[in-house]
């Protein structure tokens, strides 16, 4: 418990750094929200008026402090483009991104683990080579391409799954309908991590298989599946670390995948916010994603110490 | 629908997987054109990345205006860009003797969808909201967006219950164009919800009303049965934000939507073969390269002409863009009554282009830099188009370096002009809605920043004179004649390097009926229905 | 009838083009209650021989021939799943280093319980009780509190005791000990050895005890077999081997042991043992043997009885005993 507390304390400077980076990035970025907002032929005083409304006429350090003091209270202001509280936008977006991210993480973790185990236990055989090829494909095939191929095959040709969106008309609460919509985007998003995770599982497993205790387990007369359980528990540690980082990536929201599938998540929200230079949304979005990563790291730490007793728990 | 899916599957799954294109098998449905019918649900895959806000000036560009603003609200008068004439809207008639004081006779019997009566006081309420800084419901966020349309207004008042009078700073025969851009909301709703929250509860006089909002995913609209122009035929209208062209294409082909805005141009032949309705129509738009005429090489008209003549704009429209555009000779599109029929057209001619370039002192060619947007509203398909131009210009020795920026940055650069961050560029690829408004000629080619956007360093006293005359003209026909002349001057001076006019590509399911293809960016959905 | 009867056991591994002959026609017998020590340098094949007795060397790349008759049953023909129910139940193994032979991420209690429940139909609770008993039996204080500990939380001696507890969990008839004390301190070594001996007294199991260290083996074994390059080169009672080593290799081994003390690593013998994939044609020790004669390179010598219970495989033994002039210092 104290360790958890310490980890959170340690995270505070990191988070503070993230706020600085988020703020700086947005203000270094060329382009202005006013240009996106006010028609080109608007008069100078109208421009000045709008700049004033959004507080963009104050010196940058003042803007930062104002933003930070509001942010710690959970108030991220209003979206310039949409005139909606940023909190409301981000809450919806992160929820949708989590649905997609968790589905993609589930897909990539399960598939990656199964493939990695198959490859690791059949080292050098055709199945191992197949998994290696697939893993390579995972990191080299663009998500966009894979997404389009799946949409053409499963949505257009076969008509099995919807091609975009989160729900069919009038089916907002229907979980099955949501699942049908999440399948293709989750696979497209989770395909890259499948390669990473399966290779990690394979490598880790091969290292574990070489260890003495595996022979000792056979000498005890344990059956194959019992031994496999030992192997997996031992191979899990590096895999979980990688998975945690991949999960962070998945939960950050993918601009590409969300755009292709018109999935109303964080990536898409940030993408359009960047296009419009919607400063409050971009800042809060970056902060949110940074925080997610920090949290994910803490979670990975704790999962690791739960899985590997050799890591001190104090 | 199901039938062709099966059929095409059996013939070429492998091919499709590789080519990304749905390969047809020679099955094409015919489109039954019937005039009678009603009902159905129209689901539009729109290009915006988010649902626009629903106040009287929706965001998400003109796409927000087209599918949300114009469906919820009405303006006083409605424009016909091809003829630059105006139809009555919430004003049944209007007049101005001196082009300075304008009187609008409001349409009687119209109600906002919450029952609030449409009259002069509700009109004044709306104008106060965007013009009167002392008004309780003054809303600077929306006022700023409309400033370009309202900057000439000095005062307004209700003459009687159904008459509105607007007074301008000076004579402005272009003012009706501006009026078409101002939409009217229910004062009761604004008072009830307040300015900020109003956008979540919009109430207008328009053909549709909001039934349900699924944030960032779907806007469900239902018809206004009492619409003053007659109730829309549809049972339901659904808007979905789909910012990626391929997404809209896939959604249409998998029957998730039955109306797709701008699919990828390379899919047009397949879409046609499938029996979908491919709708194109000219409207006020030009995709051009805006030259810096204050420095070489574009300060020489011969170079500008060589540049234009080197681009095979017909090949670009027909082959590269599969008919989604038409070649441009100048900034004004040919269907408009402002189109200068007698102005010189600079046809594709490589030999002449080479000669011109040599004559201008560049026998060995010239290297230029052009900034361009990566995407964005109205920018069509900048990447393939710029590559095409690059190849074509290389043939006469103009070597172009295209530098890609995101749309927002391009807007900022454009505003700053060629003396700002773009100082090292010789041009900027930019789309203009030229001819949407009567004032476009003045804003784009006469007025410099900040009143206008003539950043080219273009000056022609004859043009300035013509525009001044047109602006003061009390006779619409005479005004348009002068403006056409003006557009002719711009075209022959090659103040813009014209490339193509967009054709507002959209694809509809064969079941979508009754669409009267609009001559504008906007679209009237009241006549549309979807057959079972 | 002997508990274990091994006849002409040969094990070879395919490695690409080559074939390594790790075990080369070994025969041996073991009675219940009896302890056989097998000594030899690393790479002599003693470990492979031990693992082969449990079927742990089986793989597509291994060729095994010969017979292993255990308790009246032939093991070589057993299916893998049949063999696995023999392992840990009737034949158990204690490994050299408990730190690596125990699974680092499971509590020792779990590792005991899974062995118990694999071979005996006990409830989880009963198996846990049994685990506590076993830990107590191998001399671990407050055994109940140890169940939840992980191997890295224990001392080396305690870990080895845990491994022994796992090995004897199902009262095996045969215990195979693969250098079980090598990784331990000298004092702990003695404790563990006496523990094994005690357990044997109680249960009557047969033990094969593999070591490179004659000193460690001598105190607890009845008989010693000396292995070199996959063969047994000398076999006899402890007395015979220690006091009358007859094979030049055994003599060198003993000499090295004396010189280097108990923990000697046998580096004192000149030269390297032959690679198992390039065995010399005649006596495998000949290249390193200071007494080698021409005939040593001709054919490999057979194990020949030189006195009651004492066999040697050396050409020098064929004609006359040479022990007199080869006495160890």
């Amino acid at each position: 418990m104290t360790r958890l507390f310490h980890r959170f304390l340690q995270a505070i400077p990191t988070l503070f750094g993230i706020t600085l980076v988020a703020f700086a990035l947005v203000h270094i970025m060329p382009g202005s929200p006013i240009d996106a907002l006010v028609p080109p032929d608007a008069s100078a005083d109208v421009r000045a008026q709008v700049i004033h409304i959004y507080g963009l006429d104050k010196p940058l350090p003042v803007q930062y402090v104002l933003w930070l003091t509001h942010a710690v209270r959970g108030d991220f202001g209003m979206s310039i483009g949409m005139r909606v509280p940023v909190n409301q936008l981000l809450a919806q977006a992160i929820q949708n991104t989590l649905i997609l991210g968790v589905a993609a993480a589930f897909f990539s973790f399960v598939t990656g683990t199964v493939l990695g185990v198959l490859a690791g236990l059949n080292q050098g055989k055709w199945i191992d080579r197949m998994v290696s090829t697939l893993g390579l494909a995972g990191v080299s095939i663009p998500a966009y391409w894979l997404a389009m191929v799946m949409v053409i095959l499963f949505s257009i040709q076969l008509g099995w799954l919807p091609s975009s969106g989160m729900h069919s008309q009038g089916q907002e609460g229907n979980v099955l309908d949501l699942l049908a919509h999440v399948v293709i985007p989750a696979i497209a998003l989770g395909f890259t991590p499948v390669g990473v995770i399966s290779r990690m599982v394979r490598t880790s497993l091969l290292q574990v298989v070489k260890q003495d205790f595996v022979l000792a387990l056979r000498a005890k007369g344990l059956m194959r599946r019992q031994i496999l359980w030992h192997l997996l528990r031992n191979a899990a540690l590096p895999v979980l670390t990688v998975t945690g980082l991949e999960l962070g990536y998945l939960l950050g929201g993918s601009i590409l995948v969300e755009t292709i599938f018109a999935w109303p998540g964080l990536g898409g929200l940030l993408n359009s916010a960047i296009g419009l230079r919607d400063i409050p949304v971009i800042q809060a979005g970056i902060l949110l994603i940074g925080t997610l990563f920090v949290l994910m790291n803490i979670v990975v730490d704790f999962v690791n110490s739960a899985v590997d007793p050799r890591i001190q728990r104090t | 629908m199901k039938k062709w899916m099966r059929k095409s599957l059996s013939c070429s799954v492998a091919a499709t997987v590789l080519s990304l294109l749905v390969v047809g098998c020679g099955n094409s449905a015919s489109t039954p054109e019937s005039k009678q019918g009603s009902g159905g649900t129209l689901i539009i895959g729109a290009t915006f990345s988010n649902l626009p806000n629903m106040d009287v000036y929706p965001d998400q560009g003109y796409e927000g205006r087209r599918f949300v603003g114009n469906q919820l609200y009405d303006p006083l008068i409605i424009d016909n860009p091809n003829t630059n004439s105006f139809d009555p809207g919430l004003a049944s008639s209007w007049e101005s003797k001196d082009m300075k004081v304008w009187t609008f006779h409001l349409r009687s019997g119209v109600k906002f969808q919450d029952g609030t009566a449409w009259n002069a006081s509700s009109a004044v309420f709306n104008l106060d909201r965007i013009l009167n800084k002392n008004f309780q419901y003054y809303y600077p966020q929306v006022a700023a967006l409309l400033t370009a349309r309202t900057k000439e207004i000095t005062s307004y008042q209700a003459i009687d219950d159904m008459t509105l009078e607007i007074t301008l700073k000076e004579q402005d025969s272009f003012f009706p164009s501006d009026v078409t851009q101002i939409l009217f909301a229910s004062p009761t709703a604004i008072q009830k919800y307040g300015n900020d929250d109003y956008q979540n509860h919009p109430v207008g006089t328009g053909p549709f009303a909001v039934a349900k909002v699924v944030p960032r995913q779907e806007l469900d609209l239902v018809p206004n049965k009492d619409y003053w122009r007659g109730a829309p035929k549809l049972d339901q209208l659904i808007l979905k934000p789909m910012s990626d062209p391929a997404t809209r294409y896939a959604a249409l082909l998998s029957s998730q939507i039955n109306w797709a805005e701008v699919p990828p141009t390379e899919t047009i032949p397949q879409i046609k073969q499938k029996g979908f309705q491919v709708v194109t129509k000219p409207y006020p738009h030009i995709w051009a390269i805006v030259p810096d005429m204050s420095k070489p090489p574009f300060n020489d008209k011969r170079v500008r002409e060589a540049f234009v003549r080197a681009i095979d704009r017909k090949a670009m429209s027909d082959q590269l863009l599969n008919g989604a555009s038409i070649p441009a000779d100048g900034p004004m599109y040919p269907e408009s009554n402002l189109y200068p029929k007698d102005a010189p057209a600079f046809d594709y001619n490589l030999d002449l282009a080479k000669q011109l370039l040599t004559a201008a002192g560049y026998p060995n060619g010239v290297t230029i830099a052009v900034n361009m947007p990566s995407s964005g509203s109205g920018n069509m398909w900048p990447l393939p188009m710029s590559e095409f131009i690059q190849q074509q210009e290389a043939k006469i020795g103009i070597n172009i370096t295209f530098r890609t920026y995101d749309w927002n940055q391009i807007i900022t650069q454009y505003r700053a002009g060629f003396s700002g961050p773009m100082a090292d560029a010789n041009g900027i690829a930019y789309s203009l809605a030229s001819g949407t408004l009567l004032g476009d000629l003045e804003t784009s080619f006469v007025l410099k920043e900040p009143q206008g956007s003539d950043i080219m360093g273009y000056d022609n006293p004859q043009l300035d004179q013509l525009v001044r005359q047109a602006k003061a003209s009390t006779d619409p026909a005479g005004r348009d004649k002068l403006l056409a002349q003006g557009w002719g001057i711009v075209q022959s001076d090659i103040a813009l390097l014209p490339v193509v006019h967009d054709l507002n590509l959209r694809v509809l399911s064969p079941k979508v009926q009754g669409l009267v293809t609009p001559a504008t960016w906007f679209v009237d959905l009241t006549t549309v229905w979807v057959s079972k | 009838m002997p508990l274990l009867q091994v006849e002409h056991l040969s094990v070879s591994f395919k490695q690409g083009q080559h074939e390594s002959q790790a075990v080369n026609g070994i025969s041996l017998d073991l009675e219940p209650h009896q302890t056989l020590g097998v000594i030899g340098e690393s790479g002599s094949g003693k470990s492979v021989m031990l693992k082969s007795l449990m079927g742990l060397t089986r793989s597509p790349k291994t060729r095994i021939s010969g017979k292993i008759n255990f308790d009246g049953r032939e093991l070589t023909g057993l299916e893998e799943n049949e063999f696995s129910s023999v392992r840990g139940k009737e034949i158990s193994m204690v490994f050299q280093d408990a730190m690596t032979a125990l699974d680092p991420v499971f509590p020792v209690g779990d590792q005991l319980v899974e062995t118990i429940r694999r071979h005996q139909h006990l409830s989880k609770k009963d198996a846990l009780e049994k685990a506590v008993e076993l830990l107590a039996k191998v001399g671990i204080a407050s055994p109940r509190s140890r169940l939840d500990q992980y191997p890295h939380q224990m001392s080396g001696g305690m870990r080895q005791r845990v491994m022994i507890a796992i090995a004897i969990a199902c009262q095996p008839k045969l215990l195979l000990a693969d250098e079980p004390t090598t990784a331990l301190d000298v004092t702990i070594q003695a404790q563990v050895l006496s523990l094994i001996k005690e357990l044997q007294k109680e249960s009557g199991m047969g033990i094969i005890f593999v070591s490179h260290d004659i000193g460690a083996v001598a105190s607890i074994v009845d008989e010693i077999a000396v292995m070199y390059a996959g063969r047994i080169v000398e076999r006899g009672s402890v007395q015979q081997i220690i006091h009358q080593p007859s094979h030049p290799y055994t003599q060198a081994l003993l000499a090295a042991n004396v010189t280097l003390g108990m923990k000697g690593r046998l580096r004192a013998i000149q030269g390297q043992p032959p690679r198992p994939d390039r065995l010399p044609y005649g006596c495998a020790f000949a290249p390193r043997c200071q007494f080698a004669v021409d005939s040593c390179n001709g054919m490999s010598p057979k194990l020949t009885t030189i006195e009651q219970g004492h066999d040697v495989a050396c050409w020098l033994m064929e004609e006359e005993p040479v022990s007199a002039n080869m006495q160890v210092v």
Side-chain angles (χ1 to χ4, degrees):
Chain A
M1 228 36 230
T2 45
R3 180 150 185 270
L4 193 65
F5 183 67
H6 276 279
R7 277 308 310 256
F8 278 114
L9 280 186
Q10 283 167 5
I12 288 175
T14 315
L15 288 175
F16 183 73
I18 294 171
T19 64
L20 263 178
V21 171
F23 185 84
L25 274 180
V26 170
H27 287 273
I28 289 169
M29 189 164 51
S32 143
I34 304 307
D35 290 342
L37 207 58
V38 180
D41 45 1
S43 66
D45 71 303
V46 167
R47 279 175 65 80
Q49 194 187 355
V50 175
I51 288 171
H52 180 72
I53 290 170
Y54 292 104
L56 299 172
D57 51 346
K58 298 192 177 74
L60 281 187
V62 176
Q63 285 189 42
Y64 174 68
V65 171
L66 274 177
W67 175 64
L68 197 63
T69 48
H70 283 93
V72 289
R73 278 176 273 155
D75 170 16
F76 292 95
M78 295 280 271
S79 154
I80 292 179
M82 292 166 261
R83 298 203 302 279
V84 172
V86 173
N87 283 348
Q88 185 189 325
L89 285 172
L90 285 184
Q92 289 160 3
I94 190 72
Q95 192 188 333
N96 297 337
T97 285
L98 280 177
I99 292 172
L100 177 57
V102 166
F106 179 78
F107 164 76
S108 56
F109 184 73
V110 170
T111 317
T113 306
V114 168
L115 290 179
V117 167
L118 284 176
L121 295 183
N122 296 285
Q123 192 192 1
K125 293 185 192 157
W126 67 270
I127 190 160
D128 183 23
R129 287 196 296 273
M130 204 186 73
V131 171
S132 297
T133 313
L134 206 70
L136 191 68
V139 286
S140 41
I141 289 181
Y144 188 89
W145 189 85
L146 185 69
M148 286 322 295
V149 169
M150 284 193 294
V151 163
I152 287 167
L153 193 62
F154 296 110
S155 302
I156 298 180
Q157 298 286 23
L158 299 172
W160 290 348
L161 294 166
S163 67
S164 60
M166 277 184 79
H167 61 81
S168 311
Q169 260 70 52
Q171 301 285 325
E172 282 87 64
N174 186 336
V175 176
L176 281 180
D177 184 62
L178 177 63
L179 278 180
H181 280 80
V182 86
V183 172
I184 299 181
I187 293 176
L189 183 58
F191 197 63
T192 305
V194 165
V196 178
I197 292 172
S198 67
R199 276 185 301 173
M200 198 69 216
V201 168
R202 177 184 181 272
T203 311
S204 183
L205 202 60
L206 287 180
Q207 275 166 2
V208 173
V209 167
K210 279 192 214 129
Q211 290 180 31
D212 289 353
F213 76 82
V214 181
L215 193 69
L217 292 173
R218 286 182 66 201
K220 297 201 304 191
L222 294 193
M223 287 176 290
R224 259 183 93 83
R225 65 176 164 75
Q226 288 175 299
I227 294 174
L228 188 62
W229 173 235
H230 279 268
L231 293 178
L232 289 182
R233 278 290 300 271
N234 276 274
L237 191 65
V239 175
L240 285 178
T241 309
V242 168
T243 306
L245 294 177
E246 293 294 332
L247 203 66
Y249 147 76
L250 293 177
L251 298 187
S254 157
I255 288 178
L256 208 60
V257 171
E258 288 184 2
T259 306
I260 303 168
F261 292 102
W263 192 273
L266 199 53
L269 179 69
L270 272 181
N271 187 34
S272 60
I274 290 168
L276 296 166
R277 301 297 186 271
D278 197 336
I279 292 177
V281 177
I282 307 173
Q283 282 173 343
I286 296 175
L287 183 59
L288 179 62
I289 290 174
T291 310
L292 267 176
F293 260 93
V294 170
L295 280 179
M296 201 48 71
N297 268 310
I298 296 177
V299 169
V300 165
D301 254 29
F302 276 84
V303 172
N304 276 351
S305 66
V307 170
D308 189 342
R310 286 165 296 187
I311 295 173
Q312 281 271 303
R313 272 181 290 192
T314 46
Chain B
M1 201 69 116
K2 276 267 149 52
K3 217 182 231 167
W4 63 255
M5 281 181 188
R6 299 265 161 71
K7 217 169 169 187
S8 48
L9 172 71
S10 56
C11 82
S12 63
V13 173
T16 37
V17 166
L18 290 173
S19 71
L20 286 188
L21 297 173
V22 178
V23 181
C25 302
N27 179 354
S28 104
S30 64
T31 312
E33 268 306 332
S34 50
K35 296 268 180 254
Q36 298 300 313
S38 70
T41 300
L42 181 66
I43 309 174
I44 297 179
T47 63
F48 35 63
S49 56
N50 194 354
L51 291 174
N53 86 46
M54 297 185 287
D55 210 322
V56 292
Y57 198 102
D59 64 340
Q60 304 286 336
Y62 267 19
E63 186 86 335
R65 172 70 192 274
R66 160 158 70 187
F67 287 126
V68 174
N70 283 8
Q71 307 313 325
L72 298 180
Y73 304 105
D74 290 301
L76 288 172
I77 58 178
I78 300 162
D79 57 335
N80 284 312
N82 282 1
T83 54
N84 286 292
S85 60
F86 298 88
D87 292 332
L90 287 178
S92 45
S93 65
W94 64 98
E95 75 254 346
S96 172
K97 290 198 171 60
D98 56 0
M99 300 290 122
K100 199 173 167 189
V101 178
W102 294 76
T103 308
F104 296 89
H105 302 285
L106 306 186
R107 185 176 296 276
S108 58
V110 175
K111 281 184 164 35
F112 288 98
Q113 294 196 44
D114 61 359
T116 307
W118 162 247
N119 53 33
S121 73
S122 48
V124 168
F125 182 98
N126 274 275
L127 293 177
D128 274 343
R129 188 173 180 240
I130 52 174
L131 288 166
N132 179 358
K133 289 185 183 158
N134 301 317
F135 185 54
Q136 186 189 353
Y137 293 100
Y138 178 67
Y139 197 31
Q141 281 89 333
V142 169
L145 304 176
L146 277 164
T147 172
R149 309 279 80 88
T150 58
K151 61 179 184 248
E152 298 293 324
I153 300 177
T154 52
S155 69
Y156 47 87
Q157 56 175 319
I159 301 294
D160 61 41
D161 195 36
M162 295 309 279
T163 310
L164 175 72
E165 187 186 85
I166 297 178
T167 307
L168 306 181
K169 276 182 206 144
E170 54 189 39
Q171 290 186 318
D172 184 2
S173 70
F174 307 154
F175 184 60
S177 273
D178 293 332
V179 174
T180 64
Q181 306 289 303
I182 303 170
L183 303 174
F184 291 85
S186 159
T188 318
I190 291 170
Q191 285 164 333
K192 184 170 169 193
Y193 296 106
N195 272 331
D196 279 335
D197 194 29
Y198 166 75
Q199 62 160 314
N200 300 316
H201 312 273
V203 179
T205 57
F208 289 91
V210 175
K212 189 174 73 179
V213 183
V214 185
R216 296 182 64 209
Q217 297 182 53
E218 182 180 314
L219 180 63
D220 292 9
L221 300 166
V222 287
N224 176 5
K225 295 290 178 205
D226 303 320
Y227 188 48
W228 57 268
R229 279 201 294 131
K233 292 181 172 173
L234 288 169
D235 292 333
Q236 201 184 11
L237 168 64
I238 293 174
L239 298 171
K240 289 181 167 237
M242 293 184 173
S243 57
D244 190 75
T247 311
R248 298 190 290 271
Y249 165 73
L252 181 74
L253 261 60
S254 59
S255 306
Q256 284 182 278
I257 58 175
N258 42 29
W259 171 310
E261 288 295 316
V262 214
T265 50
E266 63 270 25
T267 63
I268 294 174
Q270 276 81 25
I271 291 174
K272 279 187 178 156
Q273 203 181 13
K274 298 281 173 216
F276 286 89
Q277 314 173 55
V278 175
V279 182
T280 55
K281 183 90 181 188
Y283 71 103
H285 176 279
I286 174 75
W287 198 98
I289 288 172
V290 179
D292 180 3
M293 291 158 62
S294 64
K295 66 170 185 266
F298 285 138
N299 59 346
D300 190 325
K301 190 190 153 191
R302 286 170 297 187
V303 179
R304 301 202 294 274
E305 186 177 338
F307 188 96
V308 176
R309 285 192 184 278
I311 307 172
D312 187 348
R313 286 149 283 161
K314 188 161 165 27
M316 184 186 235
S317 291
D318 296 350
Q319 286 150 38
L320 182 72
L321 301 179
N322 280 311
S325 69
I326 50 170
D329 297 321
M332 182 49 64
Y333 70 109
E335 275 68 16
S336 171
N337 66 332
L338 303 186
Y339 179 70
K341 292 180 191 66
D342 306 328
F346 303 99
D347 294 334
Y348 176 59
N349 187 333
L350 277 183
D351 293 334
L352 185 51
K354 262 180 214 153
Q355 286 168 24
L356 283 163
L357 200 60
T358 306
Y362 302 99
N364 301 318
V366 60
T367 297
I368 60 170
V370 174
N371 292 6
M372 63 173 240
S374 54
S375 62
S377 163
N379 286 325
M380 306 180 68
W381 301 271
L383 296 172
M385 288 167 76
S386 65
E387 266 169 40
F388 184 88
I389 293 171
Q390 207 170 29
Q391 286 163 13
Q392 301 253 303
E393 296 293 347
K395 288 182 192 163
I396 63 161
I398 298 182
N399 300 304
I400 313 178
T401 312
F402 275 103
R403 298 178 299 200
T404 312
Y405 297 90
D406 86 322
W407 181 219
N408 186 281
Q409 248 177 299
I410 288 289
I411 298 173
T412 307
Q413 288 179 0
Y414 192 86
R415 188 192 309 285
F418 288 104
S419 54
M422 282 205 295
D424 59 339
N426 303 94
I428 182 167
Y430 206 82
S431 322
L432 291 98
S434 268
T436 304
L437 302 168
L438 288 167
D440 283 344
L441 184 61
E442 183 186 30
T443 342
S444 302
F445 299 98
V446 176
L447 300 177
K448 310 251 181 312
E449 180 70 16
Q451 289 84 25
S453 52
D454 172 10
I455 62 163
M456 294 78 79
Y458 174 60
D459 251 325
N460 187 327
Q462 198 195 342
L463 176 67
D464 298 358
Q465 173 63 27
L466 273 172
V467 168
R468 224 171 298 132
Q469 262 178 279
K471 201 169 181 178
S473 165
T474 51
D475 157 37
R479 173 198 67 196
D480 291 355
K481 218 170 179 183
L482 291 167
L483 286 176
Q485 248 181 297
W487 285 106
I489 291 172
V490 171
Q491 179 166 330
S492 56
D493 284 347
I494 321 181
L496 278 186
L497 309 176
V499 183
V500 291
H501 300 292
D502 185 27
L503 289 182
N504 205 357
L505 176 67
R506 59 171 58 111
V507 187
L508 319 185
S509 146
K511 289 178 187 168
V512 175
Q513 319 258 352
L515 173 67
V516 179
T517 311
T520 84
W521 172 258
F522 302 109
V523 57
D524 178 4
L525 295 175
T526 60
T527 59
V528 176
W529 82 94
V530 179
S531 62
K532 294 281 174 286
Chain C
M1 187 179 180
L3 174 66
L4 178 71
Q5 212 166 10
V6 179
E7 281 175 49
H8 305 297
L9 178 67
S10 287
V11 183
S12 60
F13 303 107
K14 256 184 281 176
Q15 281 172 322
Q17 300 281 326
H18 298 288
E19 188 155 341
S20 295
Q21 192 73 41
V23 175
N24 202 344
I26 279 183
S27 302
L28 54 83
D29 295 345
L30 188 74
E31 301 292 333
H33 286 288
Q34 200 190 0
T35 307
L36 171 68
V38 177
I39 59 168
E41 286 171 283
S42 45
S44 61
K46 56 192 193 306
S47 224
V48 173
M49 184 266 291
L50 210 58
K51 282 168 192 157
S52 299
L53 296 182
M54 282 186 105
L56 294 177
T57 51
R58 296 164 154 217
S59 96
K61 287 186 173 170
T62 317
R63 208 162 55 192
I64 302 170
S65 62
K67 284 182 176 169
I68 303 168
N69 190 292
F70 169 73
D71 203 21
R73 197 150 41 127
E74 182 52 44
L75 295 185
T76 43
L78 287 186
E79 293 292 320
E80 183 59 23
N81 58 343
E82 292 174 305
F83 219 140
S84 79
S85 54
V86 174
R87 291 181 202 135
K89 186 182 184 194
E90 293 174 80
I91 307 178
S92 304
M93 190 175 248
V94 177
F95 289 84
Q96 178 171 351
D97 185 358
M99 186 66 207
T100 58
L102 289 173
D103 186 330
V105 305
F106 283 80
V108 296
D110 286 10
Q111 305 194 42
L112 261 168
V113 165
E114 69 181 355
T115 316
I116 295 165
R117 296 193 68 199
R118 166 71 176 92
H119 300 295
Q120 300 173 18
H121 292 286
L122 286 181
S123 68
K124 241 185 187 147
K125 197 166 154 261
D126 291 347
L128 264 174
E129 283 311 309
K130 174 118 198 221
V132 173
E133 271 170 45
L134 282 165
L135 288 179
K137 200 173 191 174
V138 297
I140 289 178
S142 58
R144 202 170 293 273
S145 67
R146 299 290 181 183
L147 289 176
D148 291 333
Q149 285 193 337
Y150 290 91
H152 73 276
Q153 293 168 315
M154 299 181 147
S155 69
M158 206 183 291
R159 279 199 291 270
Q160 204 66 9
R161 286 171 196 271
V162 168
M163 196 155 59
I164 292 168
I166 290 173
I168 62 162
C170 304
Q171 288 104 32
K173 296 187 175 117
L174 174 61
L175 182 73
L176 305 177
D178 189 1
E179 311 220 19
T181 59
T182 309
L184 302 175
D185 292 342
V186 181
T187 45
I188 313 286
Q189 276 186 10
Q191 289 174 14
V192 169
L193 287 176
S194 63
L195 170 66
I196 292 174
K197 204 71 204 163
E198 231 170 87
L199 292 168
Q200 183 184 33
K201 225 177 269 170
E202 216 173 284
S203 66
M205 59 190 175
I207 299 178
I208 298 179
F209 197 115
V210 161
S211 178
H212 62 264
D213 182 354
I214 293 189
V217 174
S219 62
I220 65 158
V221 302
D222 307 313
E223 257 191 65
I224 291 179
V226 179
M227 273 185 80
Y228 187 79
R231 293 174 192 270
I232 292 179
V233 294
E234 184 166 2
R235 181 166 66 196
S237 69
V238 178
Q239 291 304 314
Q240 286 165 335
I241 298 294
I242 300 274
H243 298 296
Q244 232 178 354
S246 302
H247 195 283
Y249 176 64
T250 316
Q251 293 166 358
L253 211 54
L254 281 164
N257 222 331
V258 171
T259 335
L260 293 175
M262 298 293 272
K263 284 203 71 123
R265 282 276 164 186
L266 302 185
R267 294 269 156 75
I269 301 177
Q270 292 272 307
Q272 296 290 320
R275 286 176 53 172
D277 57 333
R278 306 232 176 105
L279 290 179
Y281 187 64
C283 171
F285 187 62
R288 298 168 80 189
C289 182
Q290 52 181 315
F291 308 107
V293 293
D294 280 354
S295 58
C296 294
N297 295 321
M299 268 172 63
S300 95
K302 292 216 160 46
L303 211 52
T304 319
T305 308
I306 54 166
E307 60 181 302
Q308 175 67 39
H310 189 175
D311 306 329
V312 182
C314 178
W315 285 120
L316 299 174
M317 291 295 126
E318 295 288 301
E319 304 296 321
E320 54 188 70
V322 284
S323 54
N325 54 15
M326 280 165 47
Q327 276 299 342
V328 179
V329 185

